Amino acid sequence: MAERKIRILMAKPGLDGHDRGVKVVARALRDAGFEVIYTGLHQTPEMIANTAVQEGVDAVGLSVLSGAHNTLFPAVIEALRKKGANSVMVFGGGIIPEEDMVFLKDKGVKAVFTPGTSTEEIISFVRTSVKSIH
Amino acid sequence: MSDLAEKVLRGEVLPTARLIRDLDDGIDGAISELKILYPHTGKAEIIGITGAPGAGKSTLVNRLIENFRSRGKKVGVIAVDPTSPFSGGAVLGDRIRMQNHFNDPGVFIRSVATRGHLGGLSSSAYEIIKVLDAFGSDVILVETVGVGQDEVEIAGAAHTTVVVLTPGMGDEIQNLKAGILEIADVLVVNKADREGAQVTVQGLRRLLEMGGFDRKGWKPPICLTVGTEGTGIADLVQAVDQHREFWNRQKAQPGFENKRREEDFLRILQGQAISKLIVNLRRSGSLDEIVSRLVRGESDPYSESEKVLKLGDYRPT
């Protein structure tokens, strides 16, 4: 049997317009041999969930720099659940205070990466956690 | 009937996306679902959109989705982007231009990477077209990778091939070359608000007047569009519709359907034969033996290849 290609959706929910970080990560994941779908700024949780389902991705990476992560991350997970896409893993990154981490993980966010994280760390996390789904 | 195929036929999104994924990944068993779906295909209108990188293909696809949705048609989109030859990875970004349709249940968009396949499509694209057809799409828009001159595969997969050009892309000599322009059923000069649009149109018109290849009486119309503004889209849609009518008349001609089915069958046979042959050669250890003989200089690759085909080291599994 052929080995599955890892497919990741990188998305920016909400209103902030800073996409430098998400593009750097998208590029790094591409160079790691993954297929990365990028959909641009200002996505609603509904749009992200629909894209994740249609694109058949293994994971969704969310980038939020506006401070709205406590609302947006769980909203995406909820939208995915509603569509039956329970197996899609969600991780995130951005300016996220330490004290929010527990809350987010409790809501089902698999990992949260803050500024300073190396792309290698993200790649290795994605590879390991997706392999266990395949 | 299998559970999965049945769900695809009922138009369920999640199982359809999953089957497409399995086909793209070459997972065993996905083909058995296609066997069930096959009799339910052939209903959708397949429109190919091809042209150079940055010509505006995705933006035009977005406009076409808009138009077909306003006519109540269910739309499937397959957007192909290149795989990196170095890492095997890809950034698939065509969707970005189609955001207005993300929450429309009548639109299913799938991005695929070429995964090393040449010709402008992915090798899975033909199968994904069939899945989206069985899924109930009335129209399937297939956007190729940004192409150069020779990636003409889309013409065999689509009913109508739209070739997108932009002003100032080279002189008439470029257009004289064989390949991409020959497969156009409809020509689009996009970004027509830019300087040189009329020159490009005139050049194309002169080229078409020279004729020279058999179009069975079809004269490819030239449409001027500005995709970002939505200008000229009505003309483009009209041209596509007219070609579809022309195609329907052709379809009634004897031999037409035979040719299409033959091409489809031979493509599938070729793919399966080669992949099975190679898998078997590896598994049986024959490949290692052949390579050793070549390294020792005892044989040449042409004779070895003939021997494999003759000796039936190809054992269908």
Side-chain angles (χ1 to χ4, degrees), chain A residues 1-7 26-27 29-44 46-48 50-58 83-85 87 134, chain B residues 13-14 17-18 20-22 24-29 83-84 87-96 99-105 107-115 283:
Chain A
M1 191 180 277
E3 197 182 332
R4 280 197 186 276
K5 181 76 81 172
I6 294 175
R7 276 172 77 89
R27 168 78 195 256
L29 295 177
R30 181 200 81 178
D31 291 342
F34 307 158
E35 285 178 4
V36 184
I37 294 119
Y38 180 59
T39 50
L41 299 167
H42 309 316
Q43 304 284 299
T44 65
E46 180 77 5
M47 288 165 93
I48 293 169
N50 281 331
T51 298
V53 168
Q54 290 176 8
E55 295 289 353
V57 296
D58 300 301
K83 293 176 194 304
S87 65
H134 279 175
Chain B
V13 177
L14 199 67
R18 145 143 264 139
I20 292 174
R21 176 80 193 266
D22 287 353
D24 212 14
D25 285 345
I27 301 298
D28 297 341
T83 293
S84 157
S87 70
V91 171
L92 310 173
D94 288 331
R95 264 190 102 96
I96 231 173
Q99 313 211 8
N100 297 345
H101 310 287
F102 283 6
N103 287 343
D104 180 349
V107 180
F108 186 114
I109 304 169
R110 181 60 165 233
S111 316
V112 291
T114 53
R115 297 192 183 180
R283 246 185 235 153

Side-chain angles (χ1 to χ4, degrees), chain B residues 236-248:
Chain B
L236 169 58
V237 169
Q238 198 189 0
V240 168
D241 285 350
Q242 275 166 359
H243 184 265
R244 173 65 183 188
E245 282 165 32
F246 169 81
W247 194 88
N248 283 340

Side-chain angles (χ1 to χ4, degrees), chain B residues 5-273:
Chain B
E6 201 171 315
K7 285 176 179 161
V8 173
L9 289 171
R10 275 206 301 265
E12 289 184 30
V13 177
L14 199 67
T16 302
R18 145 143 264 139
L19 177 58
I20 292 174
R21 176 80 193 266
D22 287 353
L23 286 165
D24 212 14
D25 285 345
I27 301 298
D28 297 341
I31 294 293
S32 356
E33 306 294 334
L34 264 190
K35 291 180 197 166
I36 304 166
L37 296 180
Y38 186 77
H40 302 275
T41 61
K43 283 172 272 188
E45 172 175 4
I46 301 157
I47 303 168
I49 318 288
T50 191
K57 296 182 292 299
S58 304
T59 306
L60 285 174
V61 167
N62 179 49
R63 294 295 179 187
L64 288 173
I65 299 174
E66 224 168 76
N67 188 288
F68 285 117
R69 287 303 293 148
S70 73
R71 291 195 267 166
K73 293 190 189 283
K74 192 169 161 181
V75 181
V77 178
I78 302 168
V80 189
D81 263 332
T83 293
S84 157
F86 301 109
S87 70
V91 171
L92 310 173
D94 288 331
R95 264 190 102 96
I96 231 173
R97 317 264 176 234
M98 310 171 195
Q99 313 211 8
N100 297 345
H101 310 287
F102 283 6
N103 287 343
D104 180 349
V107 180
F108 186 114
I109 304 169
R110 181 60 165 233
S111 316
V112 291
T114 53
R115 297 192 183 180
H117 183 82
L118 304 172
L121 298 174
S122 69
S123 59
S124 60
Y126 296 87
E127 275 63 58
I128 299 176
I129 289 173
K130 286 183 183 128
V131 173
L132 288 182
D133 191 342
F135 170 70
S137 308
D138 298 306
V139 179
I140 301 171
L141 301 167
V142 184
E143 179 185 338
T144 71
V145 292
V147 301
Q149 296 174 320
D150 201 22
E151 296 94 335
V152 296
E153 217 175 28
I154 184 65
H159 300 138
T160 299
T161 302
V162 178
V163 174
V164 185
L165 306 165
T166 51
M169 275 181 64
D171 60 14
E172 258 175 86
I173 297 300
Q174 293 299 334
N175 296 342
L176 275 172
K177 292 181 183 171
I180 187 86
L181 284 182
E182 279 180 278
I183 62 163
D185 298 312
V186 176
L187 283 158
V188 172
V189 177
N190 192 36
K191 307 187 187 182
D193 51 347
R194 292 200 182 166
E195 204 186 312
Q198 282 307 327
V199 178
T200 305
V201 170
Q202 282 157 14
L204 288 170
R205 211 165 269 153
R206 272 198 296 276
L207 182 80
L208 291 174
E209 276 159 13
M210 286 161 63
F213 45 96
D214 179 23
R215 306 228 44 135
K216 300 191 170 70
W218 174 257
K219 193 171 173 284
I222 305 168
C223 305
L224 286 153
T225 59
V226 184
T228 48
E229 312 280 327
T231 316
I233 303 303
D235 287 348
L236 169 58
V237 169
Q238 198 189 0
V240 168
D241 285 350
Q242 275 166 359
H243 184 265
R244 173 65 183 188
E245 282 165 32
F246 169 81
W247 194 88
N248 283 340
R249 287 196 298 276
Q250 291 298 308
K251 200 178 173 215
Q253 303 283 320
F256 185 87
E257 196 54 30
N258 296 49
K259 191 169 166 261
R260 268 188 91 82
R261 301 278 168 152
E262 180 182 304
E263 279 170 8
D264 192 40
F265 167 68
L266 288 179
R267 181 187 54 78
I268 293 164
L269 179 68
Q270 224 169 54
Q272 291 194 350

Side-chain angles (χ1 to χ4, degrees), chain B residues 1 72 120 176 288:
Chain B
M1 186 182 285
L176 275 172
D288 290 336

